[in-house]
Amino acid sequence: MISSVKNLLLSNGIDPSCDRLLVGLSGGADSIALALLLKELGFDMVAAHCNFHLRGEESVRDECFVRNFCQRYKIALECISFDTYEYAEMHALSIEMAARDLRYTWFEQLRTSHRLSYIAVAHHLDDNVETVLLNLIRGTGLNGLCAMPLVRENFVLRPLINVTKQQILDYLKLKGQSFCTDSTNVDTQFKRNKVRHELIPLLKEFNPSVIDGISRMIENLQGIRLLLDTYLMPDKKRLEEKGVIDIRAVKSCMAPVSYLFELLNPYGFSREVIEEIARDIDGQSGAVYYSSEYQVVRGSSELRLSDLSSESDSFEPMKLDISSERGGMNIPCGSNPFGANRLSWKVIDRSDMASLKVAQDTFLLPLSQAENVYVRSFDLGERMKPFGLKGSKKISQILKDRKVPLEQRPYRLVLSVDDTIAWLLGEVTSDKFMVKEQDKEIVVFTLESISF
Protein backbone atom coordinates (compact mmCIF):
# COMPACT_ATOMS: atom_id res chain seq x y z
CA MET A 1 0.00 0.00 0.00
CA ILE A 2 2.80 2.41 0.92
CA SER A 3 4.63 1.99 -2.37
CA SER A 4 1.44 2.35 -4.46
CA VAL A 5 0.51 5.60 -2.68
CA LYS A 6 4.06 6.92 -3.04
CA ASN A 7 4.11 6.11 -6.78
CA LEU A 8 0.70 7.73 -7.27
CA LEU A 9 1.81 10.94 -5.57
CA LEU A 10 5.18 11.14 -7.30
CA SER A 11 3.66 10.46 -10.73
CA ASN A 12 1.40 13.46 -10.14
CA GLY A 13 4.26 15.73 -9.11
CA ILE A 14 3.65 15.58 -5.33
CA ASP A 15 6.97 15.05 -3.58
CA PRO A 16 7.78 14.85 0.17
CA SER A 17 11.04 16.68 -0.47
CA CYS A 18 9.25 19.89 -1.51
CA ASP A 19 5.53 19.65 -0.65
CA ARG A 20 4.23 20.34 2.85
CA LEU A 21 0.73 19.11 3.67
CA LEU A 22 -2.21 19.92 5.91
CA VAL A 23 -3.84 16.65 7.01
CA GLY A 24 -7.50 16.54 8.06
CA LEU A 25 -7.41 14.34 11.17
CA SER A 26 -10.75 13.21 12.61
CA GLY A 27 -9.37 10.31 14.67
CA GLY A 28 -11.10 7.67 12.56
CA ALA A 29 -9.32 4.78 10.87
CA ASP A 30 -8.96 6.49 7.49
CA SER A 31 -7.43 9.77 8.67
CA ILE A 32 -5.15 8.07 11.22
CA ALA A 33 -3.85 5.73 8.51
CA LEU A 34 -3.33 8.72 6.20
CA ALA A 35 -1.32 10.63 8.79
CA LEU A 36 0.86 7.60 9.59
CA LEU A 37 1.47 6.81 5.93
CA LEU A 38 2.39 10.41 5.00
CA LYS A 39 4.78 10.55 7.95
CA GLU A 40 6.32 7.26 6.83
CA LEU A 41 6.77 8.73 3.34
CA GLY A 42 8.65 11.67 4.84
CA PHE A 43 6.15 14.49 4.36
CA ASP A 44 6.37 17.56 6.57
CA MET A 45 2.79 18.16 7.73
CA VAL A 46 0.39 19.92 10.04
CA ALA A 47 -2.68 18.05 11.31
CA ALA A 48 -6.06 19.80 11.66
CA HIS A 49 -8.92 18.53 13.84
CA CYS A 50 -12.47 19.93 13.84
CA ASN A 51 -14.72 19.39 16.84
CA PHE A 52 -18.25 19.92 15.54
CA HIS A 53 -19.87 19.02 18.89
CA LEU A 54 -22.44 16.81 17.18
CA ARG A 55 -21.89 13.54 19.10
CA GLY A 56 -21.61 14.60 22.74
CA GLU A 57 -18.91 12.69 24.61
CA GLU A 58 -17.72 11.02 21.41
CA SER A 59 -16.67 14.41 20.04
CA VAL A 60 -14.64 15.09 23.21
CA ARG A 61 -13.12 11.59 23.05
CA ASP A 62 -12.06 12.05 19.42
CA GLU A 63 -10.31 15.35 20.13
CA CYS A 64 -8.41 13.86 23.11
CA PHE A 65 -7.37 10.87 20.98
CA VAL A 66 -6.10 13.11 18.17
CA ARG A 67 -4.11 15.26 20.61
CA ASN A 68 -2.43 12.19 22.13
CA PHE A 69 -1.76 10.69 18.69
CA CYS A 70 -0.07 13.86 17.40
CA GLN A 71 1.96 14.21 20.59
CA ARG A 72 3.15 10.61 20.27
CA TYR A 73 4.22 10.99 16.63
CA LYS A 74 5.45 14.59 16.98
CA ILE A 75 2.96 15.97 14.45
CA ALA A 76 2.05 19.67 14.69
CA LEU A 77 -1.67 20.00 15.45
CA GLU A 78 -4.32 22.69 15.05
CA CYS A 79 -7.72 22.19 16.75
CA ILE A 80 -10.93 24.19 16.47
CA SER A 81 -14.48 23.94 17.86
CA PHE A 82 -17.59 24.86 15.87
CA ASP A 83 -21.19 25.54 16.79
CA THR A 84 -22.40 23.56 13.80
CA TYR A 85 -26.10 23.78 14.61
CA GLU A 86 -26.00 27.58 14.79
CA TYR A 87 -24.07 27.84 11.51
CA ALA A 88 -26.50 25.46 9.78
CA GLU A 89 -29.50 27.49 10.94
CA MET A 90 -27.90 30.81 10.04
CA HIS A 91 -27.10 29.68 6.50
CA ALA A 92 -30.16 27.43 5.95
CA LEU A 93 -27.96 24.34 5.42
CA SER A 94 -28.16 20.71 6.45
CA ILE A 95 -25.89 19.71 9.32
CA GLU A 96 -23.76 17.69 6.91
CA MET A 97 -23.28 20.61 4.50
CA ALA A 98 -22.67 23.05 7.36
CA ALA A 99 -19.89 20.84 8.75
CA ARG A 100 -18.38 20.53 5.27
CA ASP A 101 -18.41 24.33 4.75
CA LEU A 102 -16.85 24.99 8.16
CA ARG A 103 -14.21 22.29 7.72
CA TYR A 104 -12.94 23.25 4.27
CA THR A 105 -13.07 27.01 4.93
CA TRP A 106 -10.89 26.54 8.00
CA PHE A 107 -8.59 24.06 6.23
CA GLU A 108 -7.94 26.60 3.48
CA GLN A 109 -7.18 29.31 6.06
CA LEU A 110 -4.64 26.99 7.69
CA ARG A 111 -3.13 25.96 4.36
CA THR A 112 -2.56 29.61 3.47
CA SER A 113 -1.30 30.75 6.89
CA HIS A 114 1.13 27.79 7.21
CA ARG A 115 2.17 28.09 3.54
CA LEU A 116 1.31 24.48 2.80
CA SER A 117 0.99 22.91 -0.65
CA TYR A 118 -2.15 20.79 -0.25
CA ILE A 119 -4.98 19.81 2.07
CA ALA A 120 -4.73 16.01 2.39
CA VAL A 121 -8.01 14.24 3.21
CA ALA A 122 -8.63 10.53 3.74
CA HIS A 123 -11.17 9.66 1.02
CA HIS A 124 -10.43 6.13 -0.22
CA LEU A 125 -11.56 3.78 -2.98
CA ASP A 126 -14.66 2.55 -1.13
CA ASP A 127 -15.73 6.18 -0.64
CA ASN A 128 -15.33 6.74 -4.38
CA VAL A 129 -17.45 3.72 -5.24
CA GLU A 130 -20.16 4.91 -2.84
CA THR A 131 -20.04 8.35 -4.48
CA VAL A 132 -20.51 6.84 -7.94
CA LEU A 133 -23.48 4.77 -6.76
CA LEU A 134 -25.10 7.78 -5.06
CA ASN A 135 -24.62 9.87 -8.21
CA LEU A 136 -26.01 7.05 -10.34
CA ILE A 137 -29.12 6.78 -8.16
CA ARG A 138 -29.74 10.54 -8.41
CA GLY A 139 -29.16 10.56 -12.16
CA THR A 140 -25.77 11.82 -13.33
CA GLY A 141 -23.55 12.51 -16.31
CA LEU A 142 -19.95 11.73 -17.06
CA ASN A 143 -18.56 13.90 -14.25
CA GLY A 144 -20.66 12.13 -11.62
CA LEU A 145 -19.43 8.73 -12.81
CA CYS A 146 -15.81 9.91 -12.71
CA ALA A 147 -16.27 10.43 -8.95
CA MET A 148 -13.53 12.10 -6.87
CA PRO A 149 -10.12 12.77 -8.46
CA LEU A 150 -6.75 12.56 -6.72
CA VAL A 151 -6.41 16.35 -6.71
CA ARG A 152 -9.23 18.87 -6.65
CA GLU A 153 -8.84 22.40 -8.00
CA ASN A 154 -8.84 24.04 -4.56
CA PHE A 155 -5.67 22.22 -3.38
CA VAL A 156 -7.52 19.22 -1.90
CA LEU A 157 -5.43 16.05 -2.19
CA ARG A 158 -6.70 12.45 -1.73
CA PRO A 159 -3.61 10.20 -1.38
CA LEU A 160 -5.71 7.12 -0.47
CA ILE A 161 -8.15 7.40 -3.38
CA ASN A 162 -6.95 4.06 -4.89
CA VAL A 163 -6.72 2.26 -1.52
CA THR A 164 -9.56 0.08 -0.21
CA LYS A 165 -11.00 0.28 3.28
CA GLN A 166 -9.73 -3.23 4.01
CA GLN A 167 -6.19 -2.24 3.04
CA ILE A 168 -6.42 0.68 5.46
CA LEU A 169 -7.56 -1.56 8.31
CA ASP A 170 -4.82 -4.09 7.51
CA TYR A 171 -2.20 -1.31 7.54
CA LEU A 172 -3.36 -0.07 10.97
CA LYS A 173 -3.35 -3.62 12.34
CA LEU A 174 0.19 -4.10 11.05
CA LYS A 175 1.23 -0.88 12.80
CA GLY A 176 -0.61 -1.79 16.00
CA GLN A 177 -2.40 1.56 15.81
CA SER A 178 -5.83 2.09 17.36
CA PHE A 179 -8.42 4.59 16.12
CA CYS A 180 -11.82 6.06 17.01
CA THR A 181 -15.11 4.75 15.69
CA ASP A 182 -17.95 7.13 14.83
CA SER A 183 -21.23 5.60 16.02
CA THR A 184 -23.20 7.50 13.34
CA ASN A 185 -21.40 5.56 10.60
CA VAL A 186 -23.84 2.66 11.07
CA ASP A 187 -26.98 4.83 10.97
CA THR A 188 -28.67 3.91 7.67
CA GLN A 189 -30.92 6.99 7.81
CA PHE A 190 -27.97 8.65 6.04
CA LYS A 191 -27.98 7.76 2.33
CA ARG A 192 -24.24 7.08 2.15
CA ASN A 193 -24.45 4.66 5.08
CA LYS A 194 -27.40 2.92 3.44
CA VAL A 195 -25.35 2.46 0.27
CA ARG A 196 -22.35 1.26 2.31
CA HIS A 197 -24.14 -1.20 4.59
CA GLU A 198 -27.04 -2.38 2.42
CA LEU A 199 -26.55 -1.71 -1.31
CA ILE A 200 -22.88 -2.69 -1.70
CA PRO A 201 -23.28 -6.00 0.21
CA LEU A 202 -26.21 -6.76 -2.11
CA LEU A 203 -24.11 -5.95 -5.19
CA LYS A 204 -21.35 -8.22 -3.88
CA GLU A 205 -23.80 -11.12 -4.09
CA PHE A 206 -23.83 -10.54 -7.86
CA ASN A 207 -20.11 -9.77 -8.11
CA PRO A 208 -17.79 -10.26 -5.10
CA SER A 209 -15.27 -7.97 -6.85
CA VAL A 210 -17.73 -5.12 -7.40
CA ILE A 211 -15.41 -2.56 -5.74
CA ASP A 212 -12.60 -3.44 -8.15
CA GLY A 213 -15.03 -3.47 -11.09
CA ILE A 214 -16.41 0.00 -10.37
CA SER A 215 -12.85 1.20 -9.73
CA ARG A 216 -11.84 0.13 -13.25
CA MET A 217 -14.90 1.89 -14.65
CA ILE A 218 -13.94 5.10 -12.81
CA GLU A 219 -10.41 4.89 -14.21
CA ASN A 220 -11.70 4.35 -17.75
CA LEU A 221 -14.20 7.21 -17.52
CA GLN A 222 -11.61 9.58 -16.06
CA GLY A 223 -9.50 8.87 -19.14
CA ILE A 224 -12.47 9.60 -21.40
CA ARG A 225 -13.09 12.79 -19.41
CA LEU A 226 -9.49 13.88 -20.05
CA LEU A 227 -9.80 13.17 -23.78
CA LEU A 228 -13.10 15.04 -23.98
CA ASP A 229 -11.70 18.05 -22.10
CA THR A 230 -8.72 18.15 -24.45
CA TYR A 231 -10.99 17.95 -27.51
CA LEU A 232 -13.33 20.68 -26.23
CA MET A 233 -10.63 22.98 -24.86
CA PRO A 234 -10.66 25.44 -27.80
CA ASP A 235 -14.47 25.73 -27.65
CA LYS A 236 -14.48 26.15 -23.86
CA LYS A 237 -11.75 28.79 -24.07
CA ARG A 238 -13.68 30.67 -26.75
CA LEU A 239 -16.84 30.59 -24.63
CA GLU A 240 -14.94 31.77 -21.55
CA GLU A 241 -13.10 34.60 -23.33
CA LYS A 242 -15.64 35.75 -25.95
CA GLY A 243 -18.91 34.33 -24.64
CA VAL A 244 -19.90 32.66 -27.92
CA ILE A 245 -20.65 29.18 -29.31
CA ASP A 246 -20.53 28.67 -33.08
CA ILE A 247 -23.92 27.38 -34.22
CA ARG A 248 -22.25 25.55 -37.11
CA ALA A 249 -20.24 23.52 -34.58
CA VAL A 250 -23.45 22.55 -32.78
CA LYS A 251 -25.18 21.50 -36.00
CA SER A 252 -22.20 19.51 -37.28
CA CYS A 253 -21.77 17.64 -33.98
CA MET A 254 -22.99 14.02 -33.84
CA ALA A 255 -24.29 14.58 -30.29
CA PRO A 256 -25.36 18.27 -30.09
CA VAL A 257 -27.06 17.98 -26.69
CA SER A 258 -23.98 16.39 -25.13
CA TYR A 259 -21.73 18.98 -26.80
CA LEU A 260 -23.82 21.88 -25.45
CA PHE A 261 -24.10 20.21 -22.04
CA GLU A 262 -20.31 20.11 -21.67
CA LEU A 263 -20.08 23.81 -22.57
CA LEU A 264 -23.12 25.24 -20.76
CA ASN A 265 -23.70 23.05 -17.71
CA PRO A 266 -20.79 24.71 -15.80
CA TYR A 267 -22.80 27.95 -16.11
CA GLY A 268 -25.83 26.39 -14.43
CA PHE A 269 -27.93 25.48 -17.48
CA SER A 270 -30.09 22.41 -16.85
CA ARG A 271 -30.29 19.54 -19.29
CA GLU A 272 -33.89 20.48 -20.08
CA VAL A 273 -32.89 24.00 -21.15
CA ILE A 274 -29.90 22.67 -23.10
CA GLU A 275 -32.17 20.22 -24.94
CA GLU A 276 -34.43 23.15 -25.82
CA ILE A 277 -31.48 25.14 -27.20
CA ALA A 278 -30.41 22.17 -29.34
CA ARG A 279 -33.97 21.57 -30.54
CA ASP A 280 -34.39 25.21 -31.58
CA ILE A 281 -30.91 25.62 -33.10
CA ASP A 282 -32.40 26.43 -36.55
CA GLY A 283 -34.94 28.87 -35.13
CA GLN A 284 -35.09 32.62 -35.55
CA SER A 285 -32.55 34.91 -33.92
CA GLY A 286 -33.36 36.53 -30.60
CA ALA A 287 -34.56 33.56 -28.54
CA VAL A 288 -33.28 33.74 -24.95
CA TYR A 289 -32.56 30.84 -22.57
CA TYR A 290 -31.80 31.20 -18.86
CA SER A 291 -29.96 29.59 -15.97
CA SER A 292 -30.05 31.14 -12.51
CA GLU A 293 -27.16 33.52 -13.25
CA TYR A 294 -26.63 33.48 -17.03
CA GLN A 295 -28.51 33.77 -20.30
CA VAL A 296 -27.89 32.50 -23.82
CA VAL A 297 -29.19 34.56 -26.74
CA ARG A 298 -29.44 32.85 -30.14
CA GLY A 299 -28.07 34.89 -33.03
CA SER A 300 -27.87 34.10 -36.72
CA SER A 301 -24.53 32.30 -36.46
CA GLU A 302 -23.67 32.25 -32.73
CA LEU A 303 -25.08 31.47 -29.31
CA ARG A 304 -24.04 34.33 -27.04
CA LEU A 305 -23.55 33.75 -23.30
CA SER A 306 -23.74 36.62 -20.81
CA ASP A 307 -24.01 37.16 -17.07
CA LEU A 308 -27.55 38.20 -16.12
CA SER A 309 -26.19 40.87 -13.79
CA SER A 310 -24.46 42.54 -16.73
CA GLU A 311 -27.76 42.71 -18.60
CA SER A 312 -29.67 44.46 -15.81
CA ASP A 313 -29.81 48.13 -14.93
CA SER A 314 -26.81 49.66 -13.29
CA PHE A 315 -28.99 50.87 -10.44
CA GLU A 316 -27.00 53.07 -8.09
CA PRO A 317 -28.04 52.78 -4.40
CA MET A 318 -30.50 55.57 -3.52
CA LYS A 319 -30.69 56.80 0.07
CA LEU A 320 -34.19 57.62 1.29
CA ASP A 321 -34.92 60.80 3.27
CA ILE A 322 -37.24 59.71 6.09
CA SER A 323 -36.93 62.99 7.98
CA SER A 324 -40.44 64.20 7.02
CA GLU A 325 -43.74 62.46 7.81
CA ARG A 326 -44.25 61.28 4.24
CA GLY A 327 -42.36 61.09 0.99
CA GLY A 328 -41.75 59.07 -2.14
CA MET A 329 -39.44 58.37 -5.02
CA ASN A 330 -39.76 57.10 -8.56
CA ILE A 331 -37.70 54.06 -9.39
CA PRO A 332 -36.68 54.77 -12.99
CA CYS A 333 -37.21 52.23 -15.71
CA GLY A 334 -33.85 52.69 -17.44
CA SER A 335 -33.21 49.61 -19.58
CA ASN A 336 -35.64 47.59 -17.46
CA PRO A 337 -38.23 46.26 -19.95
CA PHE A 338 -40.72 45.54 -17.15
CA GLY A 339 -41.62 49.09 -16.20
CA ALA A 340 -41.05 51.75 -13.55
CA ASN A 341 -42.37 51.80 -9.98
CA ARG A 342 -42.99 54.31 -7.23
CA LEU A 343 -41.97 53.74 -3.65
CA SER A 344 -43.76 55.93 -1.11
CA TRP A 345 -43.57 56.09 2.67
CA LYS A 346 -45.29 57.72 5.61
CA VAL A 347 -44.73 57.79 9.36
CA ILE A 348 -47.66 56.68 11.54
CA ASP A 349 -48.29 56.20 15.26
CA ARG A 350 -48.46 52.67 16.57
CA SER A 351 -52.12 53.22 17.43
CA ASP A 352 -52.91 53.55 13.71
CA MET A 353 -51.54 50.08 12.88
CA ALA A 354 -54.83 48.34 13.67
CA SER A 355 -56.53 49.87 10.62
CA LEU A 356 -53.53 49.32 8.32
CA LYS A 357 -53.74 46.70 5.57
CA VAL A 358 -50.36 45.01 5.13
CA ALA A 359 -49.68 43.12 1.89
CA GLN A 360 -46.69 42.07 -0.22
CA ASP A 361 -46.34 45.62 -1.51
CA THR A 362 -46.12 47.02 2.05
CA PHE A 363 -43.27 47.02 4.54
CA LEU A 364 -43.21 48.31 8.13
CA LEU A 365 -40.01 49.61 9.70
CA PRO A 366 -39.56 51.11 13.19
CA LEU A 367 -38.71 54.80 12.79
CA SER A 368 -35.84 54.32 15.24
CA GLN A 369 -34.12 52.06 12.66
CA ALA A 370 -34.80 54.24 9.61
CA GLU A 371 -31.69 56.43 9.64
CA ASN A 372 -29.72 54.83 6.79
CA VAL A 373 -32.28 53.34 4.40
CA TYR A 374 -31.39 52.58 0.79
CA VAL A 375 -33.05 51.15 -2.31
CA ARG A 376 -30.56 49.19 -4.39
CA SER A 377 -29.90 46.18 -6.57
CA PHE A 378 -28.83 42.94 -4.92
CA ASP A 379 -25.59 41.12 -5.59
CA LEU A 380 -25.51 37.57 -6.94
CA GLY A 381 -25.27 35.26 -3.94
CA GLU A 382 -26.56 37.89 -1.49
CA ARG A 383 -28.80 36.52 1.25
CA MET A 384 -31.57 37.70 3.57
CA LYS A 385 -33.54 36.20 6.48
CA PRO A 386 -37.20 36.09 5.39
CA PHE A 387 -39.91 36.46 8.01
CA GLY A 388 -40.99 33.07 9.35
CA LEU A 389 -37.98 31.15 7.96
CA LYS A 390 -35.22 29.69 10.08
CA GLY A 391 -31.89 30.80 8.68
CA SER A 392 -31.06 32.92 5.66
CA LYS A 393 -31.71 32.31 1.98
CA LYS A 394 -30.24 33.58 -1.28
CA ILE A 395 -32.28 36.34 -2.92
CA SER A 396 -32.05 34.45 -6.22
CA GLN A 397 -33.52 31.36 -4.52
CA ILE A 398 -36.36 33.37 -2.95
CA LEU A 399 -37.29 34.76 -6.37
CA LYS A 400 -37.12 31.27 -7.83
CA ASP A 401 -39.33 29.86 -5.05
CA ARG A 402 -41.86 32.64 -5.63
CA LYS A 403 -41.88 31.76 -9.35
CA VAL A 404 -40.66 35.17 -10.51
CA PRO A 405 -39.73 34.71 -14.20
CA LEU A 406 -36.00 34.38 -14.78
CA GLU A 407 -35.86 37.35 -17.14
CA GLN A 408 -37.37 39.62 -14.46
CA ARG A 409 -35.14 38.64 -11.53
CA PRO A 410 -32.10 40.85 -12.33
CA TYR A 411 -34.34 43.95 -12.18
CA ARG A 412 -35.78 43.33 -8.72
CA LEU A 413 -34.60 45.69 -5.97
CA VAL A 414 -34.15 45.53 -2.21
CA LEU A 415 -34.59 48.02 0.61
CA SER A 416 -31.70 47.82 3.04
CA VAL A 417 -30.92 49.36 6.41
CA ASP A 418 -27.20 50.09 6.21
CA ASP A 419 -25.98 46.90 4.47
CA THR A 420 -28.66 44.54 5.81
CA ILE A 421 -31.57 43.66 3.53
CA ALA A 422 -34.91 44.47 5.16
CA TRP A 423 -37.31 44.02 2.25
CA LEU A 424 -37.19 42.38 -1.17
CA LEU A 425 -39.53 44.89 -2.78
CA GLY A 426 -42.94 43.45 -3.49
CA GLU A 427 -41.98 39.98 -2.24
CA VAL A 428 -40.75 39.21 1.31
CA THR A 429 -39.63 41.05 4.44
CA SER A 430 -36.89 40.23 6.93
CA ASP A 431 -37.74 39.33 10.52
CA LYS A 432 -34.68 41.29 11.67
CA PHE A 433 -36.73 44.50 11.46
CA MET A 434 -40.00 43.44 13.07
CA VAL A 435 -42.06 46.13 14.79
CA LYS A 436 -41.94 45.60 18.56
CA GLU A 437 -44.20 46.75 21.36
CA GLN A 438 -41.86 49.55 22.38
CA ASP A 439 -41.82 51.05 18.86
CA LYS A 440 -44.19 54.04 18.98
CA GLU A 441 -43.61 55.41 15.46
CA ILE A 442 -43.60 53.26 12.34
CA VAL A 443 -42.54 53.97 8.75
CA VAL A 444 -44.95 52.39 6.25
CA PHE A 445 -43.38 51.76 2.82
CA THR A 446 -45.64 51.05 -0.16
CA LEU A 447 -44.62 49.94 -3.65
CA GLU A 448 -47.07 51.16 -6.29
CA SER A 449 -47.75 50.75 -10.00
CA ILE A 450 -45.89 47.48 -10.42
CA SER A 451 -45.99 46.62 -14.08
CA PHE A 452 -44.15 43.30 -13.94
Side-chain angles (χ1 to χ4, degrees):
M1 183 177 92
I2 296 172
S3 59
S4 64
V5 171
K6 180 179 180 180
N7 291 337
L8 177 67
L9 294 176
L10 289 175
S11 65
N12 283 273
I14 300 159
D15 191 332
S17 65
C18 53
D19 288 312
R20 300 175 65 236
L21 306 179
L22 180 77
V23 182
L25 194 59
S26 67
D30 307 335
S31 65
I32 290 295
L34 175 62
L36 278 179
L37 188 145
L38 292 176
K39 187 169 181 64
E40 196 168 346
L41 291 176
F43 280 96
D44 183 13
M45 58 186 171
V46 177
H49 177 77
C50 303
N51 189 337
F52 296 107
H53 295 283
L54 298 175
R55 294 178 288 117
E57 288 301 316
E58 271 193 19
S59 296
V60 177
R61 176 208 66 186
D62 291 355
E63 182 174 334
C64 291
F65 180 87
V66 165
R67 288 184 182 278
N68 291 333
F69 173 84
C70 289
Q71 187 175 19
R72 176 185 174 188
Y73 288 99
K74 296 181 173 55
I75 298 172
L77 174 65
E78 296 273 5
C79 287
I80 194 169
S81 290
F82 292 115
D83 189 334
T84 315
Y85 289 110
E86 181 183 8
Y87 182 88
E89 183 177 350
M90 184 182 302
H91 296 276
L93 297 171
S94 68
I95 293 297
E96 185 179 11
M97 289 306 299
R100 176 185 171 83
D101 280 2
L102 289 167
R103 176 169 60 249
Y104 280 107
T105 300
W106 183 57
F107 282 176
E108 177 56 23
Q109 290 170 355
L110 289 177
R111 188 193 70 82
T112 303
S113 63
H114 285 277
R115 298 181 179 179
L116 305 173
S117 307
Y118 295 97
I119 300 165
V121 293
H123 294 131
H124 50 76
L125 181 56
D126 293 47
D127 291 328
N128 231 8
V129 169
E130 291 162 12
T131 298
V132 166
L133 291 172
L134 283 166
N135 290 341
L136 191 62
I137 290 166
R138 296 185 188 109
T140 189
L142 180 57
N143 286 343
L145 294 176
C146 287
M148 298 179 284
L150 171 68
V151 183
R152 210 168 71 194
E153 289 178 359
N154 53 347
F155 304 101
V156 174
L157 173 68
R158 302 182 178 97
L160 303 181
I161 201 63
N162 291 338
V163 177
T164 66
K165 180 72 172 187
Q166 190 56 54
Q167 287 176 307
I168 289 171
L169 294 175
D170 291 343
Y171 173 74
L172 290 173
K173 185 176 180 180
L174 180 67
K175 294 293 181 181
Q177 177 61 53
S178 61
F179 52 87
C180 297
T181 301
D182 184 342
S183 60
T184 64
N185 284 343
V186 296
D187 185 353
T188 54
Q189 288 184 347
F190 297 103
K191 288 182 181 178
R192 183 173 287 273
N193 288 346
K194 198 171 185 68
V195 167
R196 179 179 303 160
H197 297 298
E198 295 182 11
L199 179 57
I200 290 180
L202 180 63
L203 292 175
K204 285 183 177 180
E205 292 181 15
F206 292 89
N207 177 11
S209 302
V210 67
I211 299 294
D212 292 335
I214 295 177
S215 173
R216 288 194 299 273
M217 182 197 76
I218 292 171
E219 188 176 350
N220 290 336
L221 291 178
Q222 286 177 342
I224 293 171
R225 171 81 272 171
L226 182 60
L227 289 173
L228 187 59
D229 285 343
T230 303
Y231 173 76
L232 291 175
M233 189 178 297
D235 294 355
K236 287 186 174 184
K237 188 173 182 181
R238 184 169 186 240
L239 182 60
E240 182 180 343
E241 294 178 353
K242 298 183 179 180
V244 295
I245 299 172
D246 190 335
I247 286 179
R248 290 173 301 177
V250 180
K251 294 172 68 173
S252 64
C253 183
M254 294 180 64
V257 172
S258 297
Y259 173 74
L260 287 171
F261 187 87
E262 289 297 319
L263 295 179
L264 293 176
N265 184 250
Y267 297 93
F269 288 88
S270 68
R271 187 171 185 87
E272 291 76 14
V273 172
I274 290 168
E275 287 175 350
E276 185 181 358
I277 296 173
R279 188 168 57 247
D280 300 342
I281 202 68
D282 286 320
Q284 292 183 347
S285 300
V288 186
Y289 309 88
Y290 296 95
S291 71
S292 59
E293 297 179 3
Y294 292 88
Q295 69 176 16
V296 164
V297 179
R298 190 175 68 240
S300 58
S301 61
E302 295 175 332
L303 297 173
R304 184 164 292 277
L305 175 75
S306 59
D307 188 327
L308 278 174
S309 64
S310 68
E311 299 296 322
S312 64
D313 286 333
S314 177
F315 190 90
E316 294 295 326
M318 301 179 69
K319 186 173 183 179
L320 308 187
D321 182 7
I322 317 291
S323 58
S324 56
E325 287 191 359
R326 60 179 62 242
M329 60 171 283
N330 290 327
I331 300 174
C333 181
S335 61
N336 180 352
F338 305 104
N341 309 297
R342 179 169 177 78
L343 180 68
S344 58
W345 59 88
K346 62 180 177 180
V347 180
I348 65 170
D349 292 325
R350 184 180 180 81
S351 57
D352 296 329
M353 281 186 61
S355 59
L356 189 65
K357 291 183 179 180
V358 179
Q360 283 183 323
D361 58 2
T362 307
F363 172 61
L364 307 182
L365 178 70
L367 182 62
S368 60
Q369 295 182 300
E371 184 175 348
N372 294 308
V373 180
Y374 297 86
V375 171
R376 60 176 175 83
S377 302
F378 63 90
D379 296 327
L380 289 175
E382 196 169 4
R383 310 174 77 96
M384 70 177 292
K385 193 173 185 298
F387 179 78
L389 180 72
K390 288 185 177 181
S392 64
K393 210 169 190 179
K394 282 187 177 181
I395 301 290
S396 56
Q397 185 62 47
I398 294 171
L399 293 172
K400 179 180 178 182
D401 292 345
R402 298 184 69 83
K403 303 190 186 305
V404 175
L406 267 170
E407 64 271 19
Q408 296 180 12
R409 295 176 197 173
Y411 302 98
R412 290 301 177 96
L413 302 175
V414 298
L415 183 144
S416 67
V417 177
D418 292 317
D419 293 327
T420 304
I421 296 175
W423 183 28
L424 174 54
L425 270 62
E427 297 295 340
V428 296
T429 62
S430 168
D431 65 2
K432 291 187 176 183
F433 298 93
M434 291 176 59
V435 175
K436 300 182 174 61
E437 225 176 286
Q438 64 267 27
D439 296 318
K440 302 304 180 186
E441 292 183 295
I442 317 298
V443 186
V444 181
F445 294 91
T446 306
L447 191 65
E448 301 170 298
S449 301
I450 303 177
S451 53
F452 285 84

